[in-house]
Amino acid sequence: MAMELKMTGLTSFMNEDELKYMNPLVQTCNKMLLEKSAQGNDFLGWVNLPVDYDKEEFARIQEAAKKIQKTCDVLVVIGIGGSYLGARAAIEFCLGQMYNSVRPEGIPEVYFLGNNISSGALNDIIKIIGDRDFCINVISKSGRTTEPAIAFRIFKDMCEKKYGKEGAKDRIFATTDKARGALKELANAEGYETFVVPDDVGGRFSVLSAVGLLPIAAAGIDIAEMMRGAAEAREAFTDGTTLDNDCFRYAAIRNILYRKGKGTEILVNYDPALVMFGEWYKQLFAESEGKDLKGIFPVSAAFSTDLHSIGQFIQDGTRNLFETVVWVKEQRSDVTIGHMDGDLDGLNYLEGKTMQFVNSKAYAGTLLAHVDGGAPNVLIEVDKADAYHFGYLCYFFEKACGLSGYLLGVNPFNQPGVESYKKNMFALLGKPGFEEEKKILEARMNG
Amino acid sequence: MAMELKMTGLTSFMNEDELKYMNPLVQTCNKMLLEKSAQGNDFLGWVNLPVDYDKEEFARIQEAAKKIQKTCDVLVVIGIGGSYLGARAAIEFCLGQMYNSVRPEGIPEVYFLGNNISSGALNDIIKIIGDRDFCINVISKSGRTTEPAIAFRIFKDMCEKKYGKEGAKDRIFATTDKARGALKELANAEGYETFVVPDDVGGRFSVLSAVGLLPIAAAGIDIAEMMRGAAEAREAFTDGTTLDNDCFRYAAIRNILYRKGKGTEILVNYDPALVMFGEWYKQLFAESEGKDLKGIFPVSAAFSTDLHSIGQFIQDGTRNLFETVVWVKEQRSDVTIGHMDGDLDGLNYLEGKTMQFVNSKAYAGTLLAHVDGGAPNVLIEVDKADAYHFGYLCYFFEKACGLSGYLLGVNPFNQPGVESYKKNMFALLGKPGFEEEKKILEARMNG
């Protein structure tokens, strides 16, 4: 079994009957997903994506990744939201947070840009690249999202200055709409190789499309294994009940806890390699469920680090939260604790034990402590942090998210609220077409 | 003015009378802090720390930092919680997230270890150090906290193997209790230079003591400027009312919003350089307020990145949250947006504008959008992200936190909940003295 959901940390907060009562509702939501019969059904391409994808493009992605590895020291990935989080989450999940510093020979450094408006952060990456060779993967459905557009304008210019127009065209890879939009037009005009942001897959569900796959493959990760993991999860979570399908069960549990006043979910990991996975999860659930003035607020935490930060609150603060712990059983590499003469630090009782053994006891001990303190714990145990398990977990969370959103009674596949800040920003920036709005907003700011 | 709190994003959520009504309560809490007359008064050393500190030790810290800079390529800082977050927050605040890659000549790389139990993360740092020269700053009041103790045991061993006992002693700096404890004993026995974790300053309030100052100084940051900023904040926030003292006002606002059902506070930044500042803030408030089944849950977010993640929820999800935005006016370095022939990306209207100009409009536009959506916004505007302003902001948040905790009716200076997971972990690890507890917990886990 690639992963398993355990109920150990929930028994004092809900009973099995509650899970059973949720089953008919979950079945209905599952049908809504599989039959594409409900709200947001234009964006259900992710449901069958692990088996139903463009094989020719997949092979091109693998080829492009090899080309990137051969021709550059640094890959700059330009994108925001779903065009950023999935790929970075996958790379750190498999290779750790320090992947750029510990990568094997022949793998480029990978930096993610265009996901904020910090000039300091952008200039740092320019300095880090220095006079080394770089390629660019620019990812944007429209090509007009402000953050990535600014970064791409700057890096396209740098790339053309360094390699000439002709050279640059071989170093820029555009992942964008299959037919339309500013970036597609530009790519056609300049002759960039392009990959497709599928029409029926929203950004936060797009990690297993070209959006995520090209940067992940360039970082040296086996994307075929990742797809295999996702395909097996798709198979495993197609049918069943809230008692035997972990995905159905997780969606039901979240809904039950929410109705009991647990309005915040903390996705917990025990390895900093999963920090970006937490960020990916936050976008997935916040954009899918946080609407119509409802939803569970998604937060993430890295233990044991954050047991010395928000741990106090989880143990003993306001009782409005629950935890979902992703526990990875096997470490990428382990360390055995040695001997100290005199045992001044009091650790000799751990001599010969591995750090991961200690970590596993922190996990078990924290579970019991938090449950005693009144924080329900959903446990998701995963064998390894590799490409296969990343694909598997992604699909698990995506499907659970779709089911959860339908259970909550929202359209899980739109994100109308993301436009609000953009409209105001465009107006205040003086973008043509927003003149009236600008006057109104500036009057509000000054009044 | 080093910083300013603005009410623009609050006027539709509270009125000035409410602030006035809170004033007598805040005055009382301020007296409790200044007169050390209430719960937790053993841990109020931070109140006068910016002016009342050991000047001789401060000079030794500056000397030790110079020595570290001269003798090593890498400084490994071993500590967890308050012995980690403050220093890292300060370094990234002043130098950016990529400080290790863009540091000037003569400044070592700085890595933080012993704040988790991930062997993968630890092995990565060992690989990164390679055969380069390193020093260690181990920070632990007792010397027996599991996470840093494990990391230190491993790195002490590495250091002695590489440099011999004599050489290692000049490369290990211990920040610990002034007289007692395992690390102090070890330091005495081995001859390490030591610095003091003050008795009356809790971990989360300790960044302006040797705990934070040595790593910060080693990273090339002017700690005298940092202390000056903190001292000026101490002066500025000593007295006044909830109408003219920003610190009093912030404590009052948090308390008012909490009682209106805003149980989650999101500390927002507009530059990834402030991400670790958000982590520091989370420990500060979660450990101080999250107890007795109450408290505001502290979360952080980096915009505009997270506007494409939790932004949807903030705009339109459950209305139980408010934002506190730390806006830094000036960037470390800026970038001017250039021209693109044909304007395919639609950005030519920004030609000649800086990225920070765009960022400032994202800030203003988001404020208006979120307020319209029903999320109250506290605005904290800071001139620059440098050592002086870091010190100033730290003191502002520390004092506001003390006041907030007293207003909430808790002891803001203890953290009893942090022990719960430790006790269970010790038992499950088989630590001598926990035999009975072990049997009970293992029975629970198997039942």
Side-chain angles (χ1 to χ4, degrees), chain B residues 273-291:
Chain B
L274 271 69
V275 165
M276 286 306 300
F277 188 80
E279 295 300 309
W280 173 81
Y281 144 88
K282 278 160 61 180
Q283 186 198 8
L284 183 64
F285 280 88
E287 288 192 353
S288 300
E289 290 199 314
K291 54 194 65 163

mmCIF file of all heavy atoms in Angstrom, chain B residues 273-291:
data_model
loop_
_atom_site.group_PDB
_atom_site.id
_atom_site.type_symbol
_atom_site.label_atom_id
_atom_site.label_comp_id
_atom_site.label_asym_id
_atom_site.label_seq_id
_atom_site.Cartn_x
_atom_site.Cartn_y
_atom_site.Cartn_z
ATOM 1 N N ALA B 273 11.820 38.010 1.831
ATOM 2 C CA ALA B 273 12.827 38.262 2.863
ATOM 3 C C ALA B 273 12.192 38.297 4.258
ATOM 4 O O ALA B 273 12.887 38.129 5.262
ATOM 5 C CB ALA B 273 13.553 39.584 2.592
ATOM 6 N N LEU B 274 10.882 38.503 4.305
ATOM 7 C CA LEU B 274 10.205 38.586 5.603
ATOM 8 C C LEU B 274 9.500 37.288 6.004
ATOM 9 O O LEU B 274 8.806 37.250 7.026
ATOM 10 C CB LEU B 274 9.197 39.743 5.620
ATOM 11 C CG LEU B 274 9.748 41.103 6.072
ATOM 12 C CD1 LEU B 274 10.702 41.670 5.046
ATOM 13 C CD2 LEU B 274 8.634 42.087 6.371
ATOM 14 N N VAL B 275 9.677 36.236 5.226
ATOM 15 C CA VAL B 275 9.009 34.973 5.550
ATOM 16 C C VAL B 275 9.425 34.465 6.933
ATOM 17 O O VAL B 275 8.591 34.072 7.751
ATOM 18 C CB VAL B 275 9.287 33.903 4.469
ATOM 19 C CG1 VAL B 275 8.914 32.507 4.957
ATOM 20 C CG2 VAL B 275 8.505 34.236 3.196
ATOM 21 N N MET B 276 10.708 34.512 7.226
ATOM 22 C CA MET B 276 11.153 34.027 8.536
ATOM 23 C C MET B 276 10.745 34.973 9.661
ATOM 24 O O MET B 276 10.581 34.543 10.804
ATOM 25 C CB MET B 276 12.673 33.792 8.541
ATOM 26 C CG MET B 276 13.120 32.561 7.778
ATOM 27 S SD MET B 276 12.297 30.997 8.264
ATOM 28 C CE MET B 276 12.744 30.878 9.998
ATOM 29 N N PHE B 277 10.580 36.238 9.346
ATOM 30 C CA PHE B 277 10.029 37.163 10.349
ATOM 31 C C PHE B 277 8.631 36.691 10.747
ATOM 32 O O PHE B 277 8.254 36.725 11.922
ATOM 33 C CB PHE B 277 9.998 38.598 9.806
ATOM 34 C CG PHE B 277 9.633 39.614 10.851
ATOM 35 C CD1 PHE B 277 10.583 40.068 11.745
ATOM 36 C CD2 PHE B 277 8.331 40.100 10.953
ATOM 37 C CE1 PHE B 277 10.254 40.990 12.739
ATOM 38 C CE2 PHE B 277 7.993 41.026 11.942
ATOM 39 C CZ PHE B 277 8.956 41.465 12.836
ATOM 40 N N GLY B 278 7.873 36.232 9.766
ATOM 41 C CA GLY B 278 6.553 35.675 10.040
ATOM 42 C C GLY B 278 6.633 34.441 10.933
ATOM 43 O O GLY B 278 5.797 34.239 11.820
ATOM 44 N N GLU B 279 7.661 33.624 10.717
ATOM 45 C CA GLU B 279 7.824 32.438 11.565
ATOM 46 C C GLU B 279 8.173 32.839 12.995
ATOM 47 O O GLU B 279 7.698 32.229 13.954
ATOM 48 C CB GLU B 279 8.921 31.522 10.991
ATOM 49 C CG GLU B 279 8.578 30.918 9.631
ATOM 50 C CD GLU B 279 7.322 30.068 9.681
ATOM 51 O OE1 GLU B 279 7.223 29.188 10.545
ATOM 52 O OE2 GLU B 279 6.421 30.297 8.843
ATOM 53 N N TRP B 280 9.007 33.866 13.126
ATOM 54 C CA TRP B 280 9.362 34.383 14.455
ATOM 55 C C TRP B 280 8.109 34.896 15.171
ATOM 56 O O TRP B 280 7.868 34.587 16.348
ATOM 57 C CB TRP B 280 10.412 35.491 14.307
ATOM 58 C CG TRP B 280 10.741 36.214 15.583
ATOM 59 C CD1 TRP B 280 11.602 35.794 16.569
ATOM 60 C CD2 TRP B 280 10.205 37.469 16.020
ATOM 61 N NE1 TRP B 280 11.631 36.717 17.584
ATOM 62 C CE2 TRP B 280 10.788 37.758 17.280
ATOM 63 C CE3 TRP B 280 9.300 38.378 15.484
ATOM 64 C CZ2 TRP B 280 10.489 38.918 17.998
ATOM 65 C CZ3 TRP B 280 9.000 39.536 16.196
ATOM 66 C CH2 TRP B 280 9.599 39.798 17.438
ATOM 67 N N TYR B 281 7.315 35.682 14.435
ATOM 68 C CA TYR B 281 6.065 36.220 14.983
ATOM 69 C C TYR B 281 5.130 35.094 15.437
ATOM 70 O O TYR B 281 4.482 35.182 16.478
ATOM 71 C CB TYR B 281 5.400 37.119 13.920
ATOM 72 C CG TYR B 281 3.894 37.051 13.897
ATOM 73 C CD1 TYR B 281 3.118 37.878 14.709
ATOM 74 C CD2 TYR B 281 3.231 36.145 13.061
ATOM 75 C CE1 TYR B 281 1.730 37.800 14.695
ATOM 76 C CE2 TYR B 281 1.860 36.060 13.044
ATOM 77 C CZ TYR B 281 1.111 36.880 13.857
ATOM 78 O OH TYR B 281 -0.256 36.790 13.850
ATOM 79 N N LYS B 282 5.071 33.994 14.653
ATOM 80 C CA LYS B 282 4.174 32.894 14.995
ATOM 81 C C LYS B 282 4.548 32.275 16.337
ATOM 82 O O LYS B 282 3.683 32.013 17.167
ATOM 83 C CB LYS B 282 4.185 31.822 13.889
ATOM 84 C CG LYS B 282 3.280 32.182 12.722
ATOM 85 C CD LYS B 282 3.617 31.445 11.432
ATOM 86 C CE LYS B 282 3.498 29.947 11.547
ATOM 87 N NZ LYS B 282 3.832 29.282 10.256
ATOM 88 N N GLN B 283 5.840 32.052 16.551
ATOM 89 C CA GLN B 283 6.227 31.500 17.853
ATOM 90 C C GLN B 283 5.893 32.481 18.970
ATOM 91 O O GLN B 283 5.341 32.109 20.005
ATOM 92 C CB GLN B 283 7.724 31.173 17.917
ATOM 93 C CG GLN B 283 8.071 30.459 19.240
ATOM 94 C CD GLN B 283 9.551 30.456 19.621
ATOM 95 O OE1 GLN B 283 10.367 31.111 18.992
ATOM 96 N NE2 GLN B 283 9.884 29.723 20.656
ATOM 97 N N LEU B 284 6.233 33.753 18.730
ATOM 98 C CA LEU B 284 6.024 34.776 19.753
ATOM 99 C C LEU B 284 4.579 34.765 20.246
ATOM 100 O O LEU B 284 4.313 34.677 21.449
ATOM 101 C CB LEU B 284 6.394 36.161 19.179
ATOM 102 C CG LEU B 284 6.294 37.343 20.146
ATOM 103 C CD1 LEU B 284 7.293 37.195 21.285
ATOM 104 C CD2 LEU B 284 6.522 38.665 19.404
ATOM 105 N N PHE B 285 3.649 34.832 19.309
ATOM 106 C CA PHE B 285 2.246 34.948 19.708
ATOM 107 C C PHE B 285 1.604 33.605 20.053
ATOM 108 O O PHE B 285 0.775 33.529 20.968
ATOM 109 C CB PHE B 285 1.451 35.698 18.635
ATOM 110 C CG PHE B 285 1.631 37.193 18.723
ATOM 111 C CD1 PHE B 285 2.680 37.825 18.064
ATOM 112 C CD2 PHE B 285 0.785 37.971 19.492
ATOM 113 C CE1 PHE B 285 2.871 39.202 18.169
ATOM 114 C CE2 PHE B 285 0.958 39.345 19.597
ATOM 115 C CZ PHE B 285 2.006 39.963 18.928
ATOM 116 N N ALA B 286 1.949 32.549 19.339
ATOM 117 C CA ALA B 286 1.308 31.250 19.623
ATOM 118 C C ALA B 286 1.678 30.762 21.016
ATOM 119 O O ALA B 286 0.825 30.293 21.765
ATOM 120 C CB ALA B 286 1.710 30.221 18.579
ATOM 121 N N GLU B 287 2.948 30.888 21.388
ATOM 122 C CA GLU B 287 3.359 30.406 22.712
ATOM 123 C C GLU B 287 2.896 31.348 23.825
ATOM 124 O O GLU B 287 2.689 30.914 24.946
ATOM 125 C CB GLU B 287 4.886 30.226 22.774
ATOM 126 C CG GLU B 287 5.360 29.025 21.976
ATOM 127 C CD GLU B 287 6.813 28.637 22.245
ATOM 128 O OE1 GLU B 287 7.514 29.378 22.949
ATOM 129 O OE2 GLU B 287 7.233 27.591 21.719
ATOM 130 N N SER B 288 2.738 32.624 23.496
ATOM 131 C CA SER B 288 2.347 33.580 24.530
ATOM 132 C C SER B 288 0.845 33.568 24.779
ATOM 133 O O SER B 288 0.391 33.712 25.913
ATOM 134 C CB SER B 288 2.790 34.993 24.134
ATOM 135 O OG SER B 288 4.195 35.042 23.977
ATOM 136 N N GLU B 289 0.074 33.401 23.721
ATOM 137 C CA GLU B 289 -1.389 33.529 23.861
ATOM 138 C C GLU B 289 -2.163 32.228 23.747
ATOM 139 O O GLU B 289 -3.317 32.154 24.183
ATOM 140 C CB GLU B 289 -1.912 34.494 22.786
ATOM 141 C CG GLU B 289 -1.510 35.933 23.010
ATOM 142 C CD GLU B 289 -2.383 36.893 22.231
ATOM 143 O OE1 GLU B 289 -2.630 36.624 21.020
ATOM 144 O OE2 GLU B 289 -2.831 37.896 22.812
ATOM 145 N N GLY B 290 -1.588 31.216 23.108
ATOM 146 C CA GLY B 290 -2.340 29.993 22.825
ATOM 147 C C GLY B 290 -2.397 29.063 24.004
ATOM 148 O O GLY B 290 -1.699 28.047 24.042
ATOM 149 N N LYS B 291 -3.210 29.413 24.994
ATOM 150 C CA LYS B 291 -3.261 28.573 26.200
ATOM 151 C C LYS B 291 -4.602 28.730 26.884
ATOM 152 O O LYS B 291 -5.397 29.587 26.509
ATOM 153 C CB LYS B 291 -2.094 28.912 27.128
ATOM 154 C CG LYS B 291 -1.975 30.354 27.510
ATOM 155 C CD LYS B 291 -0.612 30.694 28.141
ATOM 156 C CE LYS B 291 0.571 30.544 27.205
ATOM 157 N NZ LYS B 291 1.792 31.222 27.643
#
